[in-house]
């Protein structure tokens, strides 16, 4: 006979949270809360008492959220008495309470994510919400065909058209850049041929190099002064003397 195994409570790693009474803090400070936390400690929020640390500030806001009953905000005097041992100064509770009320109205939802209601699966305005209630197995979800869904599809169609136009403009720009690059290459090659032709490059006689590997330029030969050509009278006298010696 096989007995049914039941795990003892001590073997369960994750237990059900009992709420604020168990001492758990479910609110993690966000950028807006961190900015207000820094303003409290540096005195720009109207507080000049002892500084409060970050875990204590998170516990204060978490206590505010878990004290809300049926969307009714808790009274401030009761919160000041409950948080007297958490904060170093009583003024911190009232300042944090005012910031919490304003932040809650700005978000239109609780600051603790676990206390926020699940999104309506039939609401077309919350299609980007990641977490939704699980649909019962075998149940077929009815697709709505109303003005909201038509508006969403129209917006999606317009965005796809804008994307196609943008891609066409990018493709045209790249084709123009390619044509410009090819034209610049052809122009440079033609200019190089013209320059070589004008310079009259001599290919059969390689240039001479010196010891440093540079082209050695030979100095131009110096022109010797030309000898004066004898005049015609002197030449005739020389010929006459040469004939006389022969006789």
């Amino acid at each position: 006979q096989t007995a049914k195994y039941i795990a003892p409570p001590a073997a369960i790693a994750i237990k059900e949270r009992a709420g604020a009474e168990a001492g758990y803090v479910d609110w993690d400070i966000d950028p807006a809360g961190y900015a207000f936390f820094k303003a409290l400690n540096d005195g720009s929020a109207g507080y000049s008492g002892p500084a409060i640390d970050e875990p204590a500030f998170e516990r204060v806001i978490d206590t505010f959220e878990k004290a809300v009953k049926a969307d009714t905000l808790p009274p401030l005097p009761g919160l000041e008495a409950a948080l007297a041992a958490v904060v170093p100064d009583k003024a911190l509770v009232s300042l944090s309470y005012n910031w919490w009320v304003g932040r809650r109205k700005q978000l239109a939802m609780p600051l603790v994510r676990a206390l926020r209601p699940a999104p309506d699966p039939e609401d077309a305005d919350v299609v980007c919400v990641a977490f939704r209630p699980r649909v019962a197995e075998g149940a077929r979800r009815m697709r709505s065909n109303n003005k909201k869904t038509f508006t969403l599809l129209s917006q999606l169609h317009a965005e796809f058209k804008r994307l196609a136009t943008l891609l066409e403009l990018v493709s045209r720009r790249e084709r123009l850049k390619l044509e410009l690059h090819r034209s610049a290459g052809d122009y440079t090659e033609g200019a190089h041929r013209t320059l070589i032709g004008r310079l009259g490059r001599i290919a059969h006689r390689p240039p001479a190099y010196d010891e440093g590997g540079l082209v050695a330029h030979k100095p131009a030969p110096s022109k010797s002064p030309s000898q004066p050509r004898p005049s015609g009278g002197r030449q005739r006298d020389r010929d006459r003397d040469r004939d006389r010696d022969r006789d």
Side-chain angles (χ1 to χ4, degrees):
Q1 184 178 1
T2 304
K4 184 177 180 181
Y5 174 76
I6 299 177
I12 300 176
I14 301 176
K15 299 181 180 180
E16 186 78 17
R17 289 189 179 182
E21 293 78 14
Y24 295 105
V25 177
D26 292 324
W27 183 70
D28 294 327
I29 191 169
D30 55 359
Y34 186 77
F36 178 73
F37 166 74
K38 297 293 290 184
L40 280 176
N41 287 333
D42 60 18
S44 59
Y47 172 71
S48 59
I52 183 174
D53 56 356
E54 187 173 325
F57 179 70
E58 289 181 345
R59 182 174 294 277
V60 168
I61 304 299
D62 186 79
T63 304
F64 291 165
E65 285 292 345
K66 293 177 180 177
V68 177
K69 303 298 181 182
D71 293 337
T72 302
L73 300 182
L76 181 59
L79 294 174
E80 290 177 346
L83 295 172
V86 178
V87 295
D89 193 343
K90 184 179 179 180
L92 280 170
V93 180
S94 59
L95 292 173
S96 301
Y97 183 85
N98 294 331
W99 174 84
W100 168 68
V101 172
R103 181 63 176 167
R104 211 171 190 271
K105 290 181 179 179
Q106 181 182 5
L107 296 178
M109 62 178 65
L111 272 62
V112 177
R113 293 184 178 273
L115 301 179
R116 295 177 182 178
D120 185 9
E122 298 297 332
D123 191 358
D125 294 334
V126 291
V127 292
C128 297
V129 175
F131 301 100
R132 294 181 175 275
R134 183 173 299 178
V135 181
E137 185 178 358
R140 184 176 179 180
R141 179 181 171 184
M142 299 299 295
R143 300 295 177 179
S144 56
N145 186 13
N146 50 24
K147 186 176 180 180
K148 287 185 178 180
T149 55
F150 175 76
T151 304
L152 288 175
L153 289 178
S154 300
Q155 293 176 358
L156 184 63
H157 182 262
E159 290 178 0
F160 275 121
K161 288 186 65 176
R162 286 195 296 268
L163 179 61
T165 304
L166 180 62
L167 291 179
E168 178 62 28
L169 293 176
V170 171
S171 177
R172 187 183 306 175
R173 182 195 64 185
E174 295 301 324
R175 287 197 300 267
L176 291 176
K177 288 172 63 177
L178 180 60
E179 293 178 2
L180 179 62
H181 176 72
R182 290 175 177 174
S183 301
D186 295 341
Y187 174 78
T188 305
E189 186 176 356
H192 181 261
R193 290 201 197 98
T194 304
L195 182 62
I196 292 300
R198 290 182 179 179
L199 292 178
R201 184 180 59 179
I202 302 176
H204 63 275
R205 187 176 66 183
Y209 297 92
D210 57 5
E211 297 179 355
L214 302 176
V215 178
H217 298 281
K218 295 182 179 180
S222 59
K223 295 183 179 180
S224 60
S226 59
Q227 299 295 333
R229 298 181 64 181
S231 61
R234 293 181 181 181
Q235 184 67 28
R236 285 193 300 268
D237 294 341
R238 290 177 183 177
D239 293 341
R240 189 181 302 112
D241 294 340
R242 189 169 47 253
D243 294 340
R244 188 184 303 115
D245 292 339
R246 288 177 183 178
D247 295 340

